[in-house]
Amino acid sequence: MELSFLFRAILTAVCMGGLKCVELKDNGYELVVAIHRDIPENLAIISQLQSMFTSASEYLYTTTRKYTYIRNVTILVPDTWTKDPSWTDEGEITFTDADVRVDSPHPTWDNTPYTFQPGQCGEPGRYILLTPDYVLDNGINRVLHYGDAGRALVHEFAHLRFGVFDEYGVPGSDVHPVGYIDDTSTILRPTACSNDIKGDFVNFEKDASCSSVSTAKLLDEGCVFLPNSYMNKATSSVMYAQFLKEVVNFCESNPESGRMDLKHNPNAPNRHNKMCNGRGTWDIIREHADIKGRNPLDVTNRNPLFNIVYRQKEAVGNTTVCGRRFVFVLDLSGSMASNNRYFRLRQMADKIIRDVLPEGTETGIVVFSSSGRVWSPMGFLTSPSDKDALAQGLPQLRDFGGGTAIGSGLLEAVKLLESNGKSAANGRIFLITDGEQTVAPSVQDIWTDITSKNVVVHTLAYSDAAAAVLRSLSQVTGGQYSFFDESTSSTALEGAAERLLEDVSVCEQEVDAAVEIDRHAISLNSTLSTYERNILIDSTIGNNTLFVFTLSRGSETEVSIKDPSGNVQNMDSLTYSKDESLNIIRFLIPLARTGRWTYKLKRGANSVESVVGVVKSHPRVGALPYEVETWISSKEFNYSRGSGVVVYTYAHQGYAPIIRAKVDVTVSRAGEAPFNVILRDNGLIPDNTANDGVYSNYLLGFKSNSRYSVEVRVESVDGQTVIIKAGTALSGRTLSVYQNNSAPVIYQPVDAFSRTTSPGAIDIQGYDPLVDQLDPGRVTDLDIGIVNRDSRTIAITWTATGDDLNVGTVAKYDVRVASSFDELRKNFIAAYELSSSNVLSGSLTALPAGSQQTVQVALPSSQTNNFHVIGLRAVDDANRTSSISNLRSVTFQAITIPQRTTTTTTTTTTTTTQRTENTEKTTRRPSITFTPSNNNSLLFGIAFGVGAAIIILLIMIMFIVCVMPMRDNVSRKSEPVSNVTSVAQMVRLSKAPRFARQNYYLP
């Protein structure tokens, strides 16, 4: 079986930040689905997955216009299930490698299908999450709520693969409301891609039609839009309402076919328009590497092939193999003998062998100078003595000298992986070098020889002089890229070592993975002879806590640690050990107490002594640890052709997001002052969703075209940081017919904690300090409220953007008013410009990035329309302008709210962002009004109506009692509850509010 790999050459443009990628072959996708080991054994999960993906393949083929379908699905069964003889053993794929996970519910999405998609427009998501209850349709009634499961999967797959976003509004959201006023200025439109979507606004909280509106929002709390499945002719869009049977397309901005049913709606205030600047979903998809430059393909058989594999880990004696096959490729060239590089190289390799590589890892060492050669053959690390033997055999100073034959070293590493008749595929290579290639063959010469073997190459650029090809090699093969600038303040070597674990491990990491609590470098000198640092051990960790102190060569630093009770451990303690030859001190605490620990460093000689301290711990028994994951959107950034590189950090406990934490990024290189970037979880670009535990920001502040190392620290904030345990209605999930009403938000305070990690290194190109190279950031949260209708006064609010993306202060904001969305979007500068003469309070003067800007303005008498659309652009002092902000509309007229009623039409008036008391309700059913001429006719009419109603009721009862059971029995014999299709069955099974049921808002 062939596995999914990272960053295949063809996918380099779309698989960024270390994401694992779906694989495409001849228009067919190959996916990996994994069932978590804690899911109770139930073979129906497998059969249901097969049915779902078979349906999804057909729908994907249709919606992508014959460009793609699902060719092969590998389903990974956990080792906690009983093995079926027909299943293939699989020891390499892990649960976290999978494209689709079957696992416990996400606390904020419950059983709704969900895609973890933290990136930018066009960037892939990380995984799709399905729950066992959804897969088995256990009380979910998934067809009723989400439509066909295959369609729901395609909706999620578009998030995962193509990087498009949801096109529906979020109930209760001001940023993405469920309705808005379009250019008609009189009708409230649903926030949707297609204007052809028909339906009604319904108040779920009151279980009734939407009645009067408030003065703060377009709709009352609880009002949502329900598409009507029996009145729609819309054929798009998959990212809005995939459950509508007519919807078989993604929408596009300018349909070449001229079909207006495919026309994208850029005016709707949804997440896709925010993230993709108003471009249609098909616009984004057809630029994807899977589509662009390819041709549609007529595929007769679009049913996927299924490969069921069993999570069978390899064992060596009594030791389970928990690591992928791993080969060091170490540079022994002459330059590595200088500046103590060889010593730090040995220290790093020692810590990887002893502290990082999982038990049972098959490991070998290749070295190179003027040629490559095997230093240590492949062998299993089954015990501490195995690790000790390999570490003690690392190269000494006498072994260094000669040229730099990187290509030769890599070829030897591949041969070593292939020794003993094995395949190199899925093997890991860790290449460390400090120089350019001086001996043939070069890496470029053997590029195909390496990439065709399906190995992953991690690279560490040791100094600025290291070969530039390292980044490309790691990027294409899916490896990590790190940079050590040799400064005493850098912890990049330790960061690179720790990051290997997440890739090398093949055992379930979430069960007992080590968590890095702190990583810090310090130099002791005559003015700082002692140093103390506090370490927080929270209640989720504490098992086998390891303090590791890496001392500089010749250093005599004394180290001690103090626990929360004041007990001190030092060189005389049983927990203490020291490698005298490598100057590495370790303290291993079997069970560390919760609370504040302190380590103390004391200089032991009259010289500068540098120390790097790393503290990590394993979860307590039965506890889910606080975890952080971090990555960069690209391993390089070119100022001349880019709009910023983004760093992400995800803080979570299981699937529960940790919000309101402090996340700080340090970017450094030797010779320049380090700079810091604060990551935010506020929903403002580049962060795509507020309060989802994903913190992000642009990396800006570089001062040269060089390599930089990046480190991340996450800390709780006392009284603020919490975990979301339930509630909210965030994006990234499949839209339910009934709008996924959420439970109340439940927050849980966290213990005081800290975590450190590193996303690796980044190469900077095209930087010119004499030129302003970046546009101001785009405003995406512009909003409008009516202050006074009579005086035509409105309040405009937005979050200030920056001079360079979201950093600094722009020179000014260019705010314009037009009478339609198209007018403002197509000819922005021709629209009326608001100036200080319009301002009643506040100011249009730009504030620093991140500030809240509010200004009240009176629309001029020249703007006589009752309907207005407002947008703005940021302008910097170099006259560079941002893209146009999100557009918001405002009307001073009465509007119509489409909604179904069972009474005669009533009329109310409202205004845009501010709505008043009267709403005109439309009646979708013909109403019969009796106009009595006398009492007899009135009585006759009443009697006639009652009699007719009784007759109809009797007919319905007979139908339900006599006919439906027979149909139900037939249906139940042939298919599960999730596949029932009759209206009566779905109404009976539905948990939707009565009003929605009786009006048949059903798929």
Side-chain angles (χ1 to χ4, degrees), residues 331 333 335-336 338 341 404 406 433-438 460-470 481 483-486 669 706-707:
D331 186 349
S333 63
S335 57
M336 286 294 292
S338 63
R341 289 177 182 175
T404 307
I406 300 176
T433 182
D434 75 333
E436 284 288 355
Q437 306 170 88
T438 60
L460 171 64
Y462 199 123
S463 83
D464 260 335
V469 74
L470 297 184
Y481 172 55
F483 165 58
F484 176 54
D485 64 9
E486 299 189 89
R669 60 167 284 99
S706 309
R707 292 183 171 109

Side-chain angles (χ1 to χ4, degrees), residues 228 230 900-902 925 994-1001:
N228 191 307
Y230 299 102
R900 185 183 297 257
T901 66
T902 55
R925 296 171 179 167
R994 173 192 55 78
F995 184 84
R997 296 200 309 271
Q998 73 183 20
N999 288 284
Y1000 303 128
Y1001 298 91

Side-chain angles (χ1 to χ4, degrees), residues 437-462:
Q437 306 170 88
T438 60
V439 180
S442 68
V443 174
Q444 292 86 342
D445 294 335
I446 64 168
W447 191 265
T448 303
D449 298 306
I450 300 300
T451 57
S452 65
K453 295 295 184 178
N454 288 336
V455 295
V456 173
V457 183
H458 303 296
T459 62
L460 171 64
Y462 199 123

Side-chain angles (χ1 to χ4, degrees), residues 211 388 399 559 639 670 714 720 766 913:
S211 54
D388 186 61
D399 301 310
V559 183
Y639 270 84
V714 180
Q720 296 185 35
T913 322

Side-chain angles (χ1 to χ4, degrees), residues 548-738:
V548 181
F549 301 93
T550 305
L551 281 54
S552 54
R553 183 169 177 263
S555 170
E556 299 177 9
T557 305
E558 297 178 10
V559 183
S560 63
I561 61 176
K562 183 171 62 176
D563 70 16
S565 298
N567 300 312
V568 176
Q569 302 180 48
N570 53 31
M571 62 185 301
D572 297 323
S573 303
L574 295 177
T575 58
Y576 176 95
S577 65
K578 182 176 182 180
D579 186 318
E580 296 290 349
S581 64
L582 292 178
N583 230 5
I584 300 174
I585 294 174
R586 293 177 173 89
F587 289 85
L588 178 60
I589 316 298
L591 183 60
R593 295 180 181 178
T594 299
R596 189 179 303 276
W597 290 64
T598 303
Y599 68 73
K600 181 177 180 179
L601 309 177
K602 182 179 179 180
R603 190 171 73 138
N606 292 323
S607 60
V608 175
E609 299 181 346
S610 61
V611 181
V612 177
V614 176
V615 184
K616 57 185 180 179
S617 184
H618 293 259
R620 292 182 185 271
V621 175
L624 276 176
Y626 306 144
E627 296 182 90
V628 297
E629 304 169 37
T630 189
W631 64 96
I632 306 177
S633 61
S634 176
K635 292 179 171 68
E636 65 172 328
F637 174 52
N638 193 322
Y639 270 84
S640 65
R641 61 173 195 277
S643 57
V645 63
V646 181
V647 61
Y648 301 90
T649 297
Y650 177 37
H652 59 103
Q653 185 183 41
Y655 290 115
I658 299 175
I659 66 172
R660 304 172 194 161
K662 178 185 177 184
V663 183
D664 186 72
V665 177
T666 301
V667 185
S668 61
R669 60 167 284 99
E672 297 180 15
F675 65 90
N676 293 84
V677 177
I678 301 297
L679 304 191
R680 306 189 188 281
D681 183 16
N682 57 7
L684 298 177
I685 288 178
D687 188 64
N688 72 36
T689 304
N691 295 326
D692 65 345
V694 178
Y695 302 76
S696 57
N697 210 340
Y698 295 108
L699 279 184
L700 298 176
F702 304 106
K703 300 299 182 184
S704 62
N705 292 306
S706 309
R707 292 183 171 109
Y708 289 81
S709 63
V710 184
E711 299 171 1
V712 175
R713 182 174 182 83
V714 180
E715 294 179 323
S716 59
V717 179
D718 188 35
Q720 296 185 35
T721 306
V722 294
I723 305 173
I724 299 180
K725 288 296 186 179
T728 77
L730 304 177
S731 183
R733 61 184 186 172
T734 303
L735 178 66
S736 165
V737 177
Y738 301 116

Side-chain angles (χ1 to χ4, degrees), residues 981-1001:
T981 56
S982 72
V983 171
Q985 282 179 288
M986 288 190 286
V987 170
R988 184 167 62 254
L989 293 170
S990 174
K991 295 181 180 179
R994 173 192 55 78
F995 184 84
R997 296 200 309 271
Q998 73 183 20
N999 288 284
Y1000 303 128
Y1001 298 91

Side-chain angles (χ1 to χ4, degrees), residues 2 6 39 67 118 172 191 199 238 306 363 386 394 425 458 480 491 537 544 567 580 666 697 837 845 899 925 933 975:
E2 190 160 347
L6 308 172
I39 301 303
Y67 277 97
T191 298
V238 174
F306 293 94
T363 308
D386 290 338
L394 288 167
H458 303 296
Q480 300 164 0
T491 65
I537 304 293
N544 294 322
N567 300 312
E580 296 290 349
T666 301
N697 210 340
S837 63
T845 302
Q899 52 193 357
R925 296 171 179 167
S933 58
E975 54 188 348

